[in-house]
């Protein structure tokens, strides 16, 4: 009688351990808490394990839309000092039936973000070996940001060039007008020694070829 | 008839800054630190400074003197020295043309990187994810994210020079922008260039200084600086060290392109170019050393970062394979633990033996890189690991742009000055139109470098277009000035300009030392080409994620030969042409006399 009672008490965890250890449907989990959190790392203890099992149960509930999943359906074994262990998920209706690997994988992938956040970890530091992380989607821009900066710069440069060219053109026009204007003014101004002083207004003097230094070319 | 006065610099300061802006270019940042590392660190400064005194300063001064005396661009100036030497000027213009074509492509890349720095995450910091979002793109995994960004997203490089693709539109747009900016800087000739150089000559130093402070305060920077400056004096016995020092000084000062002649042709007759030559050459070399301190502190940071990542990876590998607690192995005792685990658990250790890497700081520091690889891959890798990386990235690429644009000013001026001297052209077209046409032509030809195989053609130009030809050109220049024009006549011209004759240092260098040095460099290059066999290039293999060596196809080798010959042959061909014209005219005059 006593033996039977003892057997009844110790059988479920023994069976559970066997289910977990020998199973093909389990996953190895690895947490790198010290690496992720450094000074603020928490210790891995029974309560944290409880949290883990409950988040997995939550993930199974969400994925299968079956509210009967409970923490007792998540079996854990092979605990190491690394903070890595194996887990399997049993079906809520039949405790000795394991949920197949693919379903568990799907549940974990869909809810990885929530599981990570529960432990303040990331995809790098909370690893489910065999389940690749879903990387965040690349940001799609309406207009690439580099085109915007390019547009600003090329617009500014184009304005600069146009302004420079316009000022050159207007300078030339003004010089032409002045030359035309001077030849009209000559008639009405008092001339001294036959030369109008105003004709020297804009120029720096006339270039006298007699004093130029043109013979700087080598003669052979 | 009134002669329009030649435009001139507003002040001698503008001229000096223009020369500094031209000489201080990308080579100071990406070639000198490499040479320093390859040839014994601090010890390399000895041959470098010696070559500066023996060939750099004298040749620089000589080109300035010629330009200031003749007051013409390179073609006119050499025609004035001797009617048979017009070809020397033409060779300079041709070489400048080649340089302009490919140099602005580097500026286009700098623009591309600069514009891409305005994002919350730098695009070269992370690999893009693949279609399933389960991992990263394979090419990016095998190479690194910075290499992937450069080879795939910036260049979209094909796997060999034979495979042409279409143009890369982003690159083409950036090249267009680069040429428009160059046009804006040179549109009014010296007047516009003179204003721009105040900025392009000084701002790079501001950025270098900021980077110096940032660089030496980075973790691990001191490793790099110490590694660089520890002199390995045994390298001085290697002749390659001396050859590299001579070529570096020569190319770094930008001799032979005609830019210096063009710049100094706008000087006043009595400008003291002798002092300015010394000042600019010293500034150029000083900047090289300064830039290499910055580069090596960045190297040190990158090497330390990679070394510590390697140690961290090994630590994780040991922890995960042996399921030990995280506190048992720290980054410091990883190597001790690895040997311990090898002894205590030999079978399990053998299983992971293939993944064990040997982490070595020395090996990381030894990876010397030069050229575009250094500027765009190594530096951007270091920048992505710095805090506030977008700011540092923007600053860095602005500096690269200013250095590149400053050099482009000199390169384009070397082409437009001789063109403006041609009376026929300036009669029909205004100077703005000539400048615009030159920029347009260079842009259209340069678009070829933005195609998928463009980087391979770029490498051809980079290695062959302006190396051997320049040595030849400057050698003929020195010989002509000293022996054809006459050293005494040159001395008298300098006395006329400066008020005193050049002292014995200049005369000895010009007449004996520099020509000898140049001739030996020229011979060395030719021997190197012949001994090197078929020229090869580095092609990017996207499956391996690294570059592989390939030989140039026949048409590539023919193109290289054409590049070299087109510049070299200008000198003898023009001399022949001149000789024919003179004999023709001589016979015509004799005929007139007889008639």
């Amino acid at each position: 009688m006593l033996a039977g009672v003892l057997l009844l008490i110790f059988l479920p965890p023994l069976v559970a351990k066997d289910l977990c250890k020998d199973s093909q449907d389990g996953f190895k989990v690895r947490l790198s808490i010290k690496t992720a959190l450094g000074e603020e790392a928490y210790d891995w203890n029974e309560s944290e394990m409880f949290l883990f099992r409950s988040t997995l149960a939550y993930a199974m509930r969400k994925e299968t839309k079956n509210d009967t999943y409970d923490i007792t359906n998540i079996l854990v074994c092979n605990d190491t000092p690394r903070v890595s262990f194996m887990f399997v998920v049993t079906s809520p209706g039949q405790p000795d039936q394991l949920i197949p690997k693919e379903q568990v994988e799907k549940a974990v992938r869909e809810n990885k973000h929530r599981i990570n956040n529960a432990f303040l970890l990331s995809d790098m530091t909370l690893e489910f070996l065999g389940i690749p992380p879903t990387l965040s989607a690349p940001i799609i821009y309406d207009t690439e940001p580099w085109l915007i900066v390019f547009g600003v710069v090329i617009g500014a440069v184009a304005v600069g060039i146009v302004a420079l060219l316009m000022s050159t053109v207007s300078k030339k026009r003004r010089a032409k007008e002045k030359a035309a204007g001077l030849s009209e003014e000559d008639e009405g101004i008092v001339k001294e020694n036959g030369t109008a002083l105003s004709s020297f207004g804009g120029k720096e003097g006339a270039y006298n070829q007699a004093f130029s230094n043109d013979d700087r070319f080598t003669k052979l | 008839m009134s002669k329009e006065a030649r435009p001139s610099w507003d002040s001698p300061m503008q001229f000096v800054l223009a020369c500094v802006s031209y000489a201080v270019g990308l080579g100071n940042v990406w070639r000198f630190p490499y040479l320093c590392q390859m040839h014994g660190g601090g010890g390399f400064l000895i041959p470098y400074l010696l070559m500066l005194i023996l060939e750099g300063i004298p040749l620089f001064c000589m080109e300035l003197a010629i330009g200031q005396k003749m007051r013409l661009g390179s073609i006119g100036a050499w025609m004035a020295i001797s009617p048979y030497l017009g070809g020397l000027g033409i060779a300079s213009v041709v070489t400048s043309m080649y340089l302009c074509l490919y140099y602005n492509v580097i500026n286009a890349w700098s623009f591309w990187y600069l514009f891409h720095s305005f994002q919350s995450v730098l695009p070269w910091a992370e690999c893009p994810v693949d279609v399933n979002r389960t991992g990263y793109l394979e090419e990016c995994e095998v190479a690194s994210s910075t290499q992937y960004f450069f080879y795939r997203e910036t260049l979209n490089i094909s796997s060999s020079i034979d495979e042409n693709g279409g143009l890369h539109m982003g690159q083409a747009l950036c090249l267009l922008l680069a040429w428009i900016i160059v046009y804006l800087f040179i549109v009014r000739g010296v007047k516009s260039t003179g204003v721009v150089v105040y900025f392009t000559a000084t701002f790079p130093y501001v950025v270098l200084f900021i980077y110096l402070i940032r660089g030496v305060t980075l973790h691990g920077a001191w490793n790099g600086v110490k590694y660089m400056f520890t002199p390995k004096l045994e390298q001085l016995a290697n002749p390659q060290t001396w050859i590299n020092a001579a070529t570096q000084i020569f190319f770094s000062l930008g001799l032979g392109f005609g830019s210096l002649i063009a710049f100094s042709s706008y000087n006043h007759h009595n400008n003291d170019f002798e002092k300015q030559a010394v000042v600019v050459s010293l500034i150029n070399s000083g900047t090289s050393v300064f830039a290499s301190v910055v580069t090596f502190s960045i190297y040190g940071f990158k090497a330390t970062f990679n070394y510590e990542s390697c140690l961290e990876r090994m630590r994780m590998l040991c922890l995960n394979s042996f399921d030990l607690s995280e506190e048992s192995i720290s980054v410091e005792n990883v190597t001790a633990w690895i040997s311990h685990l090898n002894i205590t658990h030999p079978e399990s250790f053998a299983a992971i033996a293939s993944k064990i890497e040997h982490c070595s700081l020395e090996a990381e520091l030894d990876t010397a890189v030069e050229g575009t690889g250094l500027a765009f891959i190594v530096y951007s890798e270091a920048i992505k690991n710095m805090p506030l990386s977008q700011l540092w990235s923007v600053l860095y690429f602005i500096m690269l742009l200013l250095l590149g644009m400053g050099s482009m000013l000199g390169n384009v001026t070397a082409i437009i000055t001789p063109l403006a001297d041609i009376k026929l052209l300036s009669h029909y077209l205004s100077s703005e139109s000539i400048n615009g046409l030159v920029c347009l032509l260079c842009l259209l030809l340069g678009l070829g470098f933005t195609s998928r195989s463009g980087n391979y053609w770029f490498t051809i130009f980079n290695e062959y277009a302006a190396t051997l030809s320049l040595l030849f050109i400057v050698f003929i220049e020195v010989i002509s000035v000293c022996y054809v024009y006459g050293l005494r006549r040159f001395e008298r011209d300098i006395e006329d300009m400066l008020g005193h004759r050049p002292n014995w240092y200049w005369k000895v260098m010009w007449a004996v030392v520099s020509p000898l040095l140049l001739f030996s460099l020229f011979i060395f290059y030719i021997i190197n080409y012949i001994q090197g066999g078929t020229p090869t290039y580095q092609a990017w293999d996207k499956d391996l994620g690294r570059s592989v060596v390939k030989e140039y196809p026949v048409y590539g080798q023919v193109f290289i030969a054409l590049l070299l010959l087109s510049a070299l042959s200008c000198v003898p061909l023009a001399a022949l042409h001149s000789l024919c014209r003179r004999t023709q005219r001589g016979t015509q005059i004799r005929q007139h006399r007889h008639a």
Side-chain angles (χ1 to χ4, degrees):
Chain A
M1 174 64 178
L2 191 62
V5 168
L6 279 170
L7 200 62
L8 262 173
I9 296 173
F10 286 119
L11 191 61
L14 284 171
V15 170
K17 271 237 152 39
D18 284 331
L19 269 176
C20 174
K21 261 200 186 124
D22 310 317
S23 130
Q24 298 287 326
D25 287 318
F27 285 101
K28 183 165 180 183
V29 182
R30 187 155 59 208
L31 288 92
S32 311
I33 309 173
K34 294 269 180 311
T35 315
L37 301 170
E39 294 282 309
E40 290 153 36
Y42 47 81
D43 292 322
W44 187 256
N45 49 32
E46 279 304 310
S47 314
E48 304 289 344
M49 185 59 93
F50 182 82
L51 179 60
F52 181 79
R53 292 167 71 197
S54 51
T55 44
L56 269 183
Y58 159 79
M60 292 305 300
R61 280 194 185 193
K62 260 193 100 170
E63 204 264 329
T64 57
K65 300 189 184 24
N66 180 353
D67 274 350
T68 53
Y69 277 96
D70 197 4
I71 191 167
T72 49
N73 296 115
I74 314 290
L75 305 170
V76 166
C77 55
N78 285 353
D79 225 339
T80 67
R82 172 69 180 82
V83 191
S84 71
F85 45 85
M86 291 276 293
F87 77 92
V88 289
V89 184
T90 56
S91 165
Q94 298 137 310
D96 49 351
Q97 272 280 357
L98 290 178
I99 303 288
K101 209 168 185 174
E102 296 77 25
Q103 239 188 328
V104 179
E105 177 175 342
K106 203 155 166 263
V108 168
R109 282 195 87 179
E110 302 278 309
N111 298 288
K112 190 67 172 11
H113 187 61
R114 299 295 296 270
I115 304 175
N116 286 347
N117 278 346
F119 291 93
L120 306 173
L121 297 172
S122 70
D123 277 336
M124 290 291 120
T125 40
L126 172 52
E127 299 164 79
F128 284 77
L129 297 186
I131 305 183
T134 309
L135 299 161
S136 50
I139 316 173
I140 313 235
Y141 297 102
D142 292 330
T143 334
E144 299 263 335
W146 79 268
L147 272 178
I148 301 174
V149 188
F150 171 80
V152 168
V153 174
I154 204 170
V157 172
V159 166
I161 291 185
V162 169
L164 260 180
L165 290 177
M166 299 285 283
S167 76
T168 319
V169 167
S170 62
K171 217 189 272 182
K172 279 199 188 135
R173 211 183 300 153
R174 238 180 286 142
K176 235 186 265 176
E177 277 170 23
K178 213 186 230 178
L182 275 169
S183 58
E184 286 170 10
E185 284 172 22
D186 264 348
E187 311 298 303
I189 289 175
V190 175
K191 290 199 179 157
E192 285 194 23
N193 296 344
T195 332
L197 287 172
S198 57
S199 70
F200 288 110
K203 296 190 278 181
E204 292 152 28
Y207 189 93
N208 192 333
Q209 290 252 346
F211 295 100
S212 72
N213 187 17
D214 261 348
D215 59 339
R216 59 179 188 264
F217 298 98
T218 312
K219 290 183 182 49
L220 273 172
Chain B
M1 183 196 87
S2 72
K3 210 186 231 180
E4 216 184 73
R6 189 178 181 77
S8 68
W9 302 103
D10 283 335
S11 72
M13 181 56 119
Q14 278 189 358
F15 169 65
V16 172
L17 286 178
C19 288
V20 168
S21 179
Y22 167 66
V24 173
L26 295 168
N28 300 64
V29 171
W30 73 31
R31 175 97 177 131
F32 182 79
Y34 169 77
L35 287 178
C36 228
Q37 185 174 14
M38 295 309 309
H39 295 296
F44 184 69
L45 288 175
I46 299 175
Y48 186 71
L49 289 173
L50 198 62
M51 289 301 168
L52 178 69
I53 297 174
L54 290 181
E55 59 159 346
I57 300 183
L59 292 173
F60 198 87
C61 185
M62 184 189 78
E63 290 215 358
L64 292 187
I66 293 169
Q68 193 166 306
K69 172 83 181 97
M70 303 306 174
R71 316 206 76 212
L72 288 172
S74 53
I75 302 183
W78 291 107
M79 291 278 273
I81 296 226
S82 153
Y84 296 115
L85 284 177
L88 201 55
I90 298 177
S92 288
V93 172
V94 168
T95 316
S96 288
M97 182 79 168
Y98 292 152
L99 186 72
C100 281
L101 285 180
Y102 80 83
Y103 203 83
N104 228 5
V105 177
I106 306 175
N107 289 333
W109 295 338
S110 302
F111 272 121
W112 173 266
Y113 269 81
L114 175 66
F115 296 152
H116 276 83
S117 307
F118 290 95
Q119 285 176 357
S120 52
V121 175
L122 291 176
W124 55 86
E126 278 170 4
C127 277
V129 288
D130 65 14
V131 192
N132 299 337
R133 290 168 60 194
T134 50
Y136 299 115
L137 284 180
E138 197 192 312
E139 190 181 351
C140 197
E141 287 274 358
V142 186
S144 67
S145 54
T146 40
Q147 281 180 313
Y148 176 80
F149 184 77
F150 183 64
Y151 287 111
R152 189 53 49 214
E153 303 218 7
T154 309
L155 302 175
N156 196 13
I157 204 166
S158 60
S159 53
S160 79
I161 200 172
D162 304 301
E163 292 169 38
N164 293 321
L167 294 184
H168 188 299
M169 285 325 293
Q171 285 302 307
L173 283 176
C174 289
L175 187 64
L176 172 71
L177 176 64
W179 275 111
I180 291 182
I181 292 187
V182 169
Y183 180 60
L184 176 67
F185 287 168
I186 54 140
V187 65
R188 287 255 199 92
V190 208
K191 291 299 170 194
S192 49
T193 310
V195 172
V196 167
V197 291
Y198 279 115
F199 187 63
T200 60
T202 52
F203 196 68
Y205 288 99
V206 173
V207 179
L208 267 176
F209 183 70
I210 297 175
Y211 251 94
L212 180 71
I213 306 292
R214 169 74 279 197
V216 296
T217 52
L218 285 171
H219 169 64
W222 187 241
N223 293 335
V225 179
K226 204 171 47 176
Y227 182 79
M228 173 196 151
F229 277 114
T230 328
K232 300 181 194 69
L233 287 171
E234 60 273 9
Q235 279 287 337
L236 287 182
N238 179 6
Q240 191 66 33
T241 307
W242 296 87
I243 292 172
N244 280 344
T247 45
Q248 173 61 13
I249 283 284
F250 181 79
F251 291 127
S252 175
L253 287 172
L255 304 163
F257 286 106
S259 315
L260 295 170
I261 297 182
F263 277 156
S264 59
S265 71
Y266 298 113
N267 275 339
H268 285 296
H269 188 72
N270 297 93
N271 180 50
D272 186 0
F273 60 86
E274 198 178 46
K275 200 170 59 169
Q276 288 166 343
V278 177
V279 165
V280 174
S281 310
L282 287 176
I283 290 179
N284 181 50
S285 298
T287 311
S288 291
V289 178
F290 185 35
S292 53
V293 174
V294 177
T295 303
F296 273 88
S297 51
I298 306 268
Y299 260 158
F301 166 68
K302 184 181 98 72
T304 309
F305 186 86
N306 286 347
Y307 171 66
E308 290 180 353
S309 308
C310 177
L311 285 178
E312 180 65 26
R313 277 197 308 274
M314 291 303 102
R315 170 175 170 263
M316 274 308 187
L317 182 64
C318 289
L319 285 178
N320 292 346
S321 322
F322 294 94
D323 281 326
L324 305 158
S325 112
E326 279 181 282
E327 293 139 325
S328 53
I329 308 183
S330 73
V331 181
E332 285 87 33
N333 50 28
V334 175
T335 10
W337 266 97
I338 289 180
S339 23
H340 172 80
L341 287 169
N342 197 2
I343 300 166
T344 47
H345 300 86
E347 313 86 34
S348 355
F349 194 82
I352 55 163
S354 58
K355 295 195 209 139
I356 296 277
E357 300 167 40
H358 180 64
C359 301
S360 157
L361 186 59
E362 284 285 313
E364 292 284 343
L365 284 170
D366 260 335
T367 52
V369 189
E370 58 158 340
T372 51
L374 170 62
F376 294 104
I377 299 179
V378 172
Y379 253 96
S380 48
E381 190 177 320
I383 289 174
K384 80 171 200 265
N385 296 325
M386 292 183 195
L388 271 187
S389 42
Q390 291 84 356
L391 169 70
W392 300 109
S393 180
V394 168
L395 266 182
Y396 172 67
F397 289 109
I398 287 184
M399 178 187 79
L400 277 193
L401 270 172
L402 286 173
L403 289 173
M405 281 299 178
S407 300
M408 275 306 288
L409 289 178
N411 296 335
V412 183
T413 311
I415 302 179
I416 60 179
T417 307
L419 284 182
D421 293 334
I422 298 177
K423 300 283 188 289
L424 205 63
L425 264 178
S426 36
H427 184 66
Y428 286 117
L429 293 169
S430 69
S431 68
E432 284 88 0
S433 323
I434 300 179
N435 298 347
L437 282 173
V438 170
C439 290
L440 185 65
L441 179 68
C442 288
L443 168 66
L444 291 175
L445 290 175
L447 279 178
F449 294 113
T450 59
S451 69
R452 290 197 60 200
S453 55
N455 192 43
Y456 301 127
W457 292 101
F458 171 85
T459 315
I460 291 185
F461 272 78
N462 194 17
E463 284 182 19
Y464 299 104
T467 44
L468 194 67
S469 355
L470 279 182
L471 283 169
F472 180 70
I473 289 173
V474 181
F475 176 64
I476 302 286
E477 279 186 11
V478 172
I479 296 294
S480 327
V481 167
C482 291
Y483 301 109
V484 174
Y485 188 71
L487 192 58
R488 284 193 207 283
R489 207 148 145 230
F490 194 53
E491 269 181 75
R492 255 181 281 139
D493 289 335
I494 294 183
E495 192 183 15
D496 182 41
M497 288 192 282
L498 294 182
H500 63 268
R501 287 189 170 227
N503 64 29
W504 62 269
Y505 160 72
W506 301 106
K507 288 193 277 197
V508 169
M509 294 303 146
W510 285 331
V512 180
V513 181
S514 301
L516 272 175
L517 263 175
L518 287 173
F519 186 68
S520 39
L521 282 180
F522 182 69
I523 295 296
F524 161 76
Y525 258 83
I526 295 200
I527 293 178
N528 226 24
Y529 283 167
I530 298 174
Q531 270 187 342
T534 328
T536 57
Y537 67 103
Q538 303 268 11
W540 177 255
D541 186 328
K542 68 174 192 280
D543 302 311
L544 290 175
R546 56 183 175 81
S547 304
V548 292
V549 174
K550 285 198 181 152
E551 279 187 358
Y552 280 117
V554 178
Y555 64 84
Q557 296 176 35
V558 169
F559 187 77
I560 294 175
L562 273 178
L563 265 184
L564 287 171
L565 283 175
S566 56
L568 293 175
S569 59
C570 286
V571 182
L573 283 179
L576 263 174
H577 173 81
S578 213
L579 185 65
C580 287
R581 277 251 296 263
R582 289 202 154 227
T583 21
Q584 231 180 29
R585 221 180 293 152
T587 23
Q588 274 179 352
I589 293 174
R590 257 179 270 129
Q591 280 174 351
H592 274 273
R593 277 205 214 114
H594 287 313

